Amino acid sequence: MSKKIWHSKGNPWGLFSFYLEIIDGLRWCEQNGYTPHIENIENKHYYSPKGYNGKTDIWEYYFEPIKADIKDGDEVMTPEGYGRRWMKEKVDTWPLVMDDNGWWRREANRIITKYGIKPNAIVQKKIDLFIQEKMNAKVKIAVHIRAGRGMKGTYHKDNIKLEAYSNLVLQKIKQLEHEDYVVFVASDSNVAIKFMEENVPNVVNYS
């Protein structure tokens, strides 16, 4: 019996954008009776001709494979375009931003669990080691500073000022009334990471 296959090639933007697009697509598969197949990702920002973490496909650089057993006669659909444009009139309401009651987060977690999205063994080992060495404090404060446009966007007029991030974190630290904390900073800007390291105590980052 033939089956319908959704063959995703991801998108050309950042890793988290690509990740969210995959979750969007998996939910679409669930609603429309398709089997997902993620392979031959096209993304020049992450592609390496030598591969990475022992893998040659971008999705599998970081995550366990999600592949279908494609046979002759199967209907294979590869989305045209990126983002949700290819889903137009094909999927119900699916907010792109966090809603007030956390529904989006619960729904995304359901899809992640159903399809078994998880880091591959090499990445998981790196995560575990980083947590063991750098993130074993009682309180963990996480900050994501997205510059966009590469580091050139760090001080773009549309972005939140770096001082706003440091001030908010310092306020949180003051509320703790103890020193057993660590501040994890994730950013696409080395300028932002350096700023936080110079202005906030106990900052760590994975680089």
Side-chain angles (χ1 to χ4, degrees), residues 10-178:
N11 68 37
W13 305 309
L15 183 63
F16 192 55
S17 170
F18 163 41
Y19 182 78
L20 291 179
E21 179 152 331
I22 293 297
I23 293 176
D24 259 350
L26 292 175
R27 187 171 183 271
W28 182 88
C29 287
E30 179 186 62
Q31 295 181 340
N32 292 275
Y34 277 73
T35 299
H37 181 81
I38 304 173
E39 191 175 27
N40 299 325
I41 299 302
E42 299 173 353
N43 189 309
K44 65 181 181 181
H45 301 295
Y46 293 93
Y47 173 73
S48 169
K50 295 182 180 180
Y52 185 66
N53 283 334
K55 304 294 181 180
T56 57
D57 197 88
I58 292 175
W59 173 261
E60 294 174 26
Y61 289 178
Y62 308 103
F63 303 103
E64 291 292 338
I66 296 179
K67 290 184 176 178
D69 181 17
I70 302 176
K71 298 180 179 179
D72 291 341
D74 287 344
E75 174 190 336
V76 180
M77 189 276 284
T78 300
E80 295 182 6
Y82 307 107
R84 300 181 77 244
R85 289 189 293 274
W86 66 270
M87 294 185 186
K88 190 175 181 181
E89 299 177 354
K90 295 181 180 179
V91 69
D92 66 350
T93 302
W94 180 230
L96 293 178
V97 296
M98 185 64 69
D99 58 305
D100 290 338
N101 65 10
W103 175 85
W104 189 97
R105 183 159 33 195
R106 292 193 298 273
E107 181 69 352
N109 186 63
R110 183 183 68 80
I111 293 296
I112 291 168
T113 301
K114 175 175 179 176
Y115 288 95
I117 300 177
K118 60 182 179 180
N120 65 40
I122 293 175
V123 171
Q124 187 62 59
K125 184 176 180 180
K126 292 179 180 179
I127 293 171
D128 293 342
L129 183 62
F130 181 78
I131 292 174
Q132 178 183 337
E133 293 181 348
K134 301 286 187 69
M135 300 277 289
N136 59 359
K138 180 179 180 181
V139 174
K140 302 166 184 63
I141 302 171
V143 184
H144 179 209
I145 305 175
R146 184 182 182 277
R149 308 170 184 86
M151 286 192 290
K152 294 182 292 185
T154 305
Y155 290 104
H156 192 273
K157 64 181 181 180
D158 293 338
N159 283 357
I160 298 172
K161 302 299 183 185
L162 295 179
E163 291 79 6
Y165 289 102
S166 60
N167 289 340
L168 284 171
V169 174
L170 290 172
Q171 289 175 25
K172 179 63 178 178
I173 291 172
K174 188 175 181 180
Q175 294 171 3
L176 295 176
E177 298 183 345
H178 64 74

